[in-house]
Amino acid sequence: MKIPKYLHVNLSVALPLLTLLITLFITHQAFNNAKIELAKKTQTYFDFRVREAVSLIKNRMHVYEQVLQGVSGLFIASNHVDRNEFKQYIATLNLAKNFAGVQGVGYSLIVPSANKPQHVASIRSEGFPEFTIWPEGQRDTYTSIIYLEPFDYRNQRAFGYDMFSEPMRHAAMQKAIDTGHAQLSGK
C-alpha cells in the first residue's frame, strides 16, 4: 500500500512538531515540579528560621529573667543593699561577657508622694546634686531608679526615672509587687 504524497508531507512535518510539543510539555511539567519543590523547600527553611528566632528570643528573655531573679535574691538575702554592693554584684555578673545584650540592671524604689522630697534629698546627699524623679508631674506613688549598673552615660540618663509613669512598665512592676516574683515588661 502506497501512502499518498499529501499525507507523507504532513507526517514529515507533524512528527517533529509532535515531538517538539511533547518535549515542551515535559519541560513545562518538570519546571512546574521544580518550582513547587523549591517553594516547599523555601517555606520549610523559612519555618525553621522562624522557630529558631523564636527560640533564641525566648532563651534571651529567660536569661534576662534569671538576671532579675539574681538581683532579687541579693535584696532578699540582705538587710540593706547599698550602691557600692549593688555595683559589685553586677560587676561580678560580667554582663558584657555572660549576658550579651543586657545594657544594664537597675533597682527602682517605690516612693509615696509624701516621701518624695525626703527621697530626692537622700539621693542628692549621696553625691548626686542634680538628682530628681522624672518625668515631672503629681502622682500618688512614684518609683525611682536609684541603682543602675553599669552606671555609664547611657544608663545615667535613666537615673531617677519613674517607671510607674509608663503603663507597660507600671503593669510589670505591679505584677511583681502582687506576685513577689521578678517580671519582664512587654514591648
Coordinates of all heavy atoms in Angstrom, one line a residue, residues 20-86:
L20 N 8.3 18.0 19.3 CA 8.5 19.3 20.0 C 7.5 19.6 21.0 O 7.8 20.0 22.1 CB 8.5 20.4 18.9 CG 8.7 21.8 19.4 CD1 10.0 22.0 20.1 CD2 8.5 22.8 18.3
L21 N 6.2 19.3 20.7 CA 5.1 19.6 21.7 C 5.2 18.7 22.9 O 5.0 19.2 24.0 CB 3.8 19.4 21.0 CG 3.4 20.5 20.0 CD1 2.1 20.2 19.3 CD2 3.3 21.9 20.7
I22 N 5.5 17.5 22.7 CA 5.7 16.5 23.8 C 6.9 17.0 24.7 O 6.8 17.0 25.9 CB 5.8 15.1 23.3 CG1 4.5 14.6 22.8 CG2 6.3 14.2 24.5 CD1 4.6 13.2 22.1
T23 N 8.0 17.3 24.1 CA 9.2 17.8 24.8 C 8.9 19.1 25.6 O 9.3 19.2 26.7 CB 10.3 18.0 23.8 OG1 10.6 16.8 23.1 CG2 11.6 18.4 24.5
L24 N 8.1 20.0 24.9 CA 7.8 21.3 25.6 C 6.8 21.0 26.8 O 7.0 21.6 27.9 CB 7.1 22.2 24.7 CG 8.0 22.9 23.7 CD1 7.2 23.8 22.7 CD2 9.0 23.8 24.4
F25 N 5.9 20.1 26.6 CA 5.0 19.7 27.7 C 5.8 19.1 28.9 O 5.6 19.4 30.1 CB 3.9 18.7 27.2 CG 3.0 18.2 28.3 CD1 2.0 19.0 28.8 CD2 3.2 16.9 28.9 CE1 1.2 18.6 29.8 CE2 2.3 16.5 29.9 CZ 1.4 17.3 30.4
I26 N 6.7 18.2 28.6 CA 7.5 17.5 29.6 C 8.4 18.6 30.3 O 8.5 18.6 31.6 CB 8.4 16.4 29.0 CG1 7.4 15.2 28.6 CG2 9.4 15.9 30.0 CD1 8.1 14.1 27.8
T27 N 9.0 19.5 29.6 CA 9.8 20.5 30.1 C 9.0 21.4 31.0 O 9.4 21.8 32.1 CB 10.5 21.4 29.0 OG1 11.2 20.5 28.2 CG2 11.3 22.5 29.6
H28 N 7.8 21.8 30.6 CA 6.9 22.6 31.4 C 6.5 21.9 32.7 O 6.5 22.6 33.8 CB 5.6 23.0 30.6 CG 4.6 23.8 31.3 ND1 4.9 25.0 31.8 CD2 3.3 23.5 31.7 CE1 3.8 25.5 32.4 NE2 2.9 24.5 32.4
Q29 N 6.2 20.7 32.6 CA 5.8 19.9 33.8 C 7.0 19.8 34.8 O 6.9 20.0 36.0 CB 5.3 18.5 33.5 CG 4.0 18.5 32.8 CD 2.9 19.1 33.8 OE1 2.5 20.2 33.5 NE2 2.6 18.4 34.8
A30 N 8.2 19.5 34.2 CA 9.4 19.5 35.0 C 9.7 20.8 35.7 O 10.1 20.9 36.9 CB 10.6 19.0 34.2
F31 N 9.5 21.9 35.0 CA 9.7 23.2 35.5 C 8.7 23.5 36.6 O 9.1 24.0 37.7 CB 9.6 24.3 34.4 CG 9.6 25.7 34.9 CD1 10.9 26.3 35.3 CD2 8.5 26.5 35.1 CE1 10.9 27.6 35.8 CE2 8.5 27.8 35.6 CZ 9.8 28.3 35.9
N32 N 7.5 23.2 36.4 CA 6.5 23.4 37.5 C 6.8 22.6 38.7 O 6.6 23.0 39.8 CB 5.1 23.1 36.9 CG 4.5 24.2 36.2 OD1 4.9 25.3 36.3 ND2 3.4 23.9 35.4
N33 N 7.1 21.3 38.5 CA 7.5 20.4 39.7 C 8.7 21.0 40.4 O 8.7 21.0 41.7 CB 7.8 19.0 39.2 CG 6.6 18.3 38.7 OD1 5.4 18.7 39.0 ND2 6.7 17.2 38.0
A34 N 9.7 21.5 39.7 CA 10.9 22.1 40.3 C 10.5 23.4 41.1 O 11.0 23.6 42.2 CB 12.0 22.4 39.3
K35 N 9.6 24.2 40.5 CA 9.1 25.4 41.1 C 8.4 25.1 42.4 O 8.6 25.7 43.5 CB 8.2 26.1 40.2 CG 7.9 27.5 40.5 CD 7.2 28.2 39.3 CE 6.0 29.0 39.7 NZ 5.3 29.6 38.6
I36 N 7.5 24.1 42.4 CA 6.7 23.7 43.6 C 7.7 23.1 44.7 O 7.5 23.5 45.8 CB 5.7 22.6 43.2 CG1 4.5 23.3 42.4 CG2 5.1 21.9 44.4 CD1 3.6 22.3 41.7
E37 N 8.6 22.3 44.2 CA 9.6 21.8 45.2 C 10.5 22.9 45.8 O 10.7 22.9 47.0 CB 10.5 20.7 44.5 CG 11.4 19.9 45.4 CD 10.6 19.1 46.4 OE1 9.5 18.6 46.1 OE2 11.1 18.9 47.5
L38 N 10.9 23.8 45.0 CA 11.6 25.0 45.5 C 10.8 25.8 46.5 O 11.3 26.2 47.6 CB 12.1 25.9 44.4 CG 12.9 27.1 44.8 CD1 14.2 26.7 45.6 CD2 13.2 28.0 43.6
A39 N 9.5 26.0 46.2 CA 8.6 26.7 47.1 C 8.5 26.0 48.5 O 8.5 26.6 49.5 CB 7.3 26.9 46.5
K40 N 8.4 24.6 48.4 CA 8.3 23.8 49.6 C 9.5 23.9 50.4 O 9.5 24.1 51.7 CB 8.0 22.4 49.3 CG 6.6 22.1 48.8 CD 6.4 20.6 48.5 CE 5.1 20.2 48.0 NZ 5.0 18.8 47.6
K41 N 10.7 23.8 49.8 CA 12.0 23.9 50.5 C 12.2 25.3 51.1 O 12.6 25.4 52.2 CB 13.1 23.6 49.6 CG 13.2 22.1 49.3 CD 14.4 21.8 48.4 CE 14.5 20.3 48.1 NZ 15.7 20.0 47.2
T42 N 11.8 26.3 50.3 CA 11.9 27.7 50.8 C 11.0 27.9 52.1 O 11.4 28.5 53.1 CB 11.5 28.7 49.7 OG1 12.4 28.5 48.6 CG2 11.7 30.1 50.2
Q43 N 9.8 27.4 52.0 CA 8.8 27.5 53.1 C 9.4 26.7 54.3 O 9.3 27.2 55.5 CB 7.4 27.0 52.8 CG 6.4 27.3 53.8 CD 6.2 28.8 54.1 OE1 6.0 29.5 53.2 NE2 6.2 29.1 55.4
T44 N 9.9 25.6 54.1 CA 10.4 24.7 55.2 C 11.6 25.5 55.9 O 11.7 25.5 57.1 CB 10.9 23.4 54.7 OG1 9.7 22.7 54.1 CG2 11.5 22.5 55.8
Y45 N 12.5 26.0 55.0 CA 13.6 26.8 55.6 C 13.2 28.0 56.3 O 13.7 28.3 57.4 CB 14.6 27.2 54.4 CG 15.8 28.0 54.9 CD1 16.8 27.4 55.6 CD2 15.9 29.3 54.7 CE1 17.9 28.1 56.1 CE2 17.0 30.1 55.1 CZ 18.0 29.4 55.8 OH 19.0 30.1 56.3
F46 N 12.2 28.7 55.8 CA 11.6 29.9 56.5 C 11.0 29.5 57.8 O 11.3 30.2 58.8 CB 10.6 30.6 55.6 CG 9.9 31.7 56.2 CD1 10.5 33.0 56.4 CD2 8.6 31.6 56.8 CE1 9.9 34.0 57.0 CE2 8.0 32.7 57.4 CZ 8.7 33.9 57.5
D47 N 10.2 28.5 57.8 CA 9.6 28.0 59.1 C 10.7 27.6 60.1 O 10.5 27.9 61.3 CB 8.7 26.8 58.8 CG 7.5 27.2 58.0 OD1 7.1 28.4 57.9 OD2 6.8 26.2 57.5
F48 N 11.7 26.9 59.6 CA 12.8 26.6 60.5 C 13.5 27.8 61.1 O 13.7 27.9 62.3 CB 13.9 25.7 59.8 CG 15.2 25.6 60.5 CD1 15.3 24.7 61.6 CD2 16.3 26.3 60.2 CE1 16.5 24.6 62.3 CE2 17.5 26.2 60.8 CZ 17.6 25.4 61.9
R49 N 13.7 28.8 60.3 CA 14.4 30.1 60.8 C 13.5 30.8 61.7 O 14.0 31.4 62.7 CB 14.8 30.9 59.6 CG 15.9 30.4 58.7 CD 17.2 30.1 59.4 NE 17.7 31.4 59.8 CZ 18.9 31.7 60.0 NH1 19.8 30.7 60.0 NH2 19.3 32.9 60.4
V50 N 12.2 30.8 61.5 CA 11.3 31.5 62.4 C 11.3 30.8 63.8 O 11.4 31.4 64.8 CB 9.8 31.5 61.8 CG1 8.8 31.9 62.9 CG2 9.8 32.5 60.7
R51 N 11.2 29.4 63.7 CA 11.2 28.7 65.0 C 12.6 28.9 65.7 O 12.6 29.1 67.0 CB 11.1 27.2 64.8 CG 9.6 26.8 64.5 CD 9.4 25.3 64.5 NE 10.3 24.6 63.6 CZ 10.1 24.3 62.3 NH1 9.1 24.8 61.7 NH2 11.0 23.7 61.6
E52 N 13.6 29.0 65.0 CA 15.0 29.3 65.6 C 15.0 30.6 66.2 O 15.5 30.8 67.3 CB 16.0 29.1 64.5 CG 17.4 29.3 65.0 CD 18.5 29.2 63.9 OE1 18.3 29.8 62.8 OE2 19.5 28.5 64.1
A53 N 14.5 31.6 65.5 CA 14.5 33.0 66.0 C 13.6 33.1 67.3 O 14.0 33.7 68.3 CB 13.9 34.0 64.9
V54 N 12.4 32.5 67.2 CA 11.6 32.5 68.4 C 12.3 31.8 69.6 O 12.2 32.3 70.7 CB 10.2 31.8 68.1 CG1 9.4 31.5 69.4 CG2 9.4 32.6 67.1
S55 N 12.9 30.7 69.3 CA 13.7 30.0 70.4 C 14.8 30.9 71.0 O 15.0 30.9 72.2 CB 14.2 28.7 69.9 OG 15.0 28.0 70.8
L56 N 15.5 31.5 70.1 CA 16.6 32.4 70.6 C 16.0 33.6 71.4 O 16.6 33.9 72.4 CB 17.4 33.0 69.4 CG 18.3 32.0 68.7 CD1 18.9 32.6 67.4 CD2 19.4 31.5 69.6
I57 N 14.9 34.1 71.0 CA 14.3 35.2 71.8 C 13.8 34.7 73.1 O 14.1 35.4 74.1 CB 13.2 35.9 71.0 CG1 13.7 36.6 69.8 CG2 12.3 36.8 71.8 CD1 12.7 37.1 68.7
K58 N 13.2 33.6 73.1 CA 12.7 33.0 74.4 C 13.9 32.7 75.3 O 13.8 33.0 76.5 CB 11.9 31.7 74.2 CG 10.5 31.9 73.7 CD 9.8 30.6 73.5 CE 8.4 30.9 73.0 NZ 7.7 29.6 72.8
N59 N 15.0 32.2 74.8 CA 16.2 31.9 75.6 C 16.8 33.2 76.1 O 17.2 33.3 77.3 CB 17.2 31.1 74.8 CG 16.8 29.7 74.6 OD1 16.0 29.2 75.2 ND2 17.4 29.1 73.6
R60 N 16.8 34.2 75.3 CA 17.4 35.5 75.7 C 16.5 36.1 76.8 O 17.0 36.6 77.8 CB 17.4 36.5 74.5 CG 17.9 37.9 74.8 CD 19.4 38.0 75.2 NE 20.3 37.5 74.2 CZ 21.0 38.1 73.3 NH1 20.8 39.4 73.2 NH2 21.8 37.5 72.5
M61 N 15.2 36.0 76.7 CA 14.3 36.6 77.7 C 14.5 35.8 79.0 O 14.4 36.3 80.1 CB 12.9 36.6 77.2 CG 12.6 37.5 76.0 SD 13.4 39.1 76.1 CE 12.3 39.9 77.3
H62 N 14.7 34.5 78.9 CA 14.9 33.6 80.1 C 16.2 34.1 80.8 O 16.2 34.1 82.0 CB 14.9 32.2 79.7 CG 15.1 31.2 80.9 ND1 14.1 31.0 81.8 CD2 16.2 30.5 81.3 CE1 14.6 30.2 82.7 NE2 15.8 29.9 82.4
V63 N 17.2 34.3 80.0 CA 18.4 34.8 80.6 C 18.2 36.1 81.4 O 18.7 36.3 82.5 CB 19.5 35.0 79.5 CG1 20.7 35.8 80.0 CG2 20.0 33.6 79.1
Y64 N 17.5 37.1 80.7 CA 17.2 38.3 81.4 C 16.4 38.1 82.7 O 16.7 38.8 83.7 CB 16.4 39.2 80.5 CG 17.1 39.7 79.2 CD1 16.4 40.3 78.2 CD2 18.5 39.6 79.1 CE1 17.0 40.7 77.0 CE2 19.1 40.0 77.9 CZ 18.4 40.5 76.9 OH 19.0 41.0 75.8
E65 N 15.5 37.2 82.6 CA 14.7 36.9 83.8 C 15.6 36.3 84.9 O 15.4 36.6 86.1 CB 13.6 35.9 83.5 CG 12.6 35.7 84.6 CD 11.4 34.8 84.2 OE1 11.3 34.3 83.0 OE2 10.5 34.7 85.0
Q66 N 16.6 35.5 84.5 CA 17.5 34.9 85.5 C 18.3 36.0 86.2 O 18.6 36.0 87.4 CB 18.4 33.9 84.9 CG 17.7 32.6 84.4 CD 17.0 31.9 85.6 OE1 17.6 31.7 86.6 NE2 15.8 31.6 85.5
V67 N 18.7 37.0 85.4 CA 19.5 38.1 86.0 C 18.6 38.9 87.0 O 19.0 39.2 88.1 CB 20.0 39.1 84.9 CG1 20.5 40.4 85.5 CG2 21.0 38.4 84.0
L68 N 17.3 39.1 86.6 CA 16.4 39.7 87.6 C 16.2 38.9 88.8 O 16.2 39.4 90.0 CB 15.0 39.9 86.9 CG 15.0 41.0 85.8 CD1 13.6 41.0 85.2 CD2 15.3 42.4 86.4
Q69 N 16.1 37.6 88.7 CA 16.0 36.7 89.9 C 17.2 36.8 90.8 O 17.1 36.8 92.0 CB 15.8 35.2 89.4 CG 14.5 34.9 88.7 CD 13.3 35.0 89.6 OE1 13.4 35.1 90.8 NE2 12.1 35.1 89.0
G70 N 18.4 36.9 90.1 CA 19.6 37.0 90.9 C 19.6 38.3 91.7 O 20.0 38.3 92.9
V71 N 19.2 39.4 91.1 CA 19.2 40.7 91.8 C 18.2 40.6 92.9 O 18.4 41.1 94.0 CB 18.9 41.8 90.8 CG1 18.7 43.2 91.5 CG2 20.1 42.0 89.8
S72 N 17.0 40.0 92.6 CA 16.0 39.8 93.6 C 16.6 39.1 94.8 O 16.4 39.5 96.0 CB 14.8 39.1 93.0 OG 13.8 38.9 94.0
G73 N 17.3 38.0 94.6 CA 18.0 37.2 95.6 C 18.9 38.1 96.5 O 19.0 37.9 97.7
L74 N 19.7 39.0 95.8 CA 20.6 39.8 96.5 C 19.9 40.7 97.5 O 20.3 40.8 98.7 CB 21.3 40.8 95.5 CG 22.2 41.9 96.1 CD1 23.4 41.3 96.8 CD2 22.6 42.9 95.0
F75 N 18.7 41.3 97.1 CA 18.0 42.1 98.0 C 17.3 41.3 99.1 O 17.1 41.8 100.3 CB 17.0 43.0 97.3 CG 17.7 44.2 96.6 CD1 18.2 44.1 95.4 CD2 17.8 45.4 97.3 CE1 18.9 45.2 94.8 CE2 18.4 46.5 96.7 CZ 19.0 46.3 95.5
I76 N 16.8 40.1 98.8 CA 16.2 39.3 99.8 C 17.2 38.8 100.9 O 16.8 38.7 102.0 CB 15.5 38.0 99.1 CG1 14.3 38.5 98.3 CG2 15.1 37.0 100.1 CD1 13.7 37.5 97.4
A77 N 18.4 38.5 100.4 CA 19.4 38.0 101.4 C 20.1 39.0 102.2 O 20.8 38.7 103.2 CB 20.5 37.2 100.6
S78 N 19.8 40.3 101.9 CA 20.5 41.4 102.7 C 19.5 42.2 103.4 O 18.4 42.5 102.9 CB 21.3 42.2 101.7 OG 21.9 43.3 102.4
N79 N 19.9 42.8 104.5 CA 19.0 43.7 105.2 C 19.0 45.1 104.5 O 18.0 45.8 104.5 CB 19.5 43.9 106.7 CG 19.2 42.7 107.5 OD1 18.3 42.0 107.3 ND2 20.1 42.5 108.5
H80 N 20.1 45.4 103.9 CA 20.3 46.7 103.2 C 21.4 46.5 102.1 O 22.5 46.1 102.4 CB 20.6 47.8 104.1 CG 20.9 49.1 103.4 ND1 19.9 49.9 102.8 CD2 22.1 49.7 103.1 CE1 20.5 50.9 102.3 NE2 21.8 50.8 102.4
V81 N 21.0 46.8 100.9 CA 22.0 46.8 99.8 C 22.3 48.2 99.4 O 21.4 49.0 99.0 CB 21.4 46.0 98.5 CG1 22.4 46.1 97.4 CG2 21.1 44.6 98.9
D82 N 23.6 48.6 99.6 CA 23.9 50.0 99.2 C 24.4 50.0 97.8 O 24.5 49.0 97.1 CB 24.9 50.6 100.2 CG 26.3 49.9 100.2 OD1 26.7 49.3 99.1 OD2 27.0 50.0 101.2
R83 N 24.6 51.2 97.3 CA 25.0 51.5 95.9 C 26.3 50.7 95.6 O 26.4 50.1 94.5 CB 25.2 53.0 95.7 CG 25.5 53.4 94.3 CD 25.5 54.9 94.2 NE 24.3 55.6 94.7 CZ 23.1 55.6 94.2 NH1 22.9 55.1 93.0 NH2 22.1 56.2 94.8
N84 N 27.3 50.7 96.4 CA 28.5 50.0 96.1 C 28.4 48.5 96.1 O 28.9 47.8 95.2 CB 29.6 50.4 97.2 CG 31.0 49.9 96.7 OD1 31.4 50.1 95.6 ND2 31.7 49.3 97.6
E85 N 27.6 47.9 97.0 CA 27.3 46.5 97.0 C 26.6 46.1 95.7 O 26.9 45.1 95.1 CB 26.5 46.1 98.2 CG 27.2 46.1 99.5 CD 26.3 46.0 100.7 OE1 25.1 46.4 100.6 OE2 26.8 45.5 101.7
F86 N 25.6 46.9 95.3 CA 24.9 46.6 94.0 C 25.9 46.7 92.9 O 25.8 45.8 92.0 CB 23.8 47.7 93.9 CG 22.9 47.4 92.7 CD1 21.9 46.4 92.8 CD2 23.1 48.1 91.5 CE1 21.1 46.2 91.7 CE2 22.2 47.8 90.4 CZ 21.2 46.8 90.5

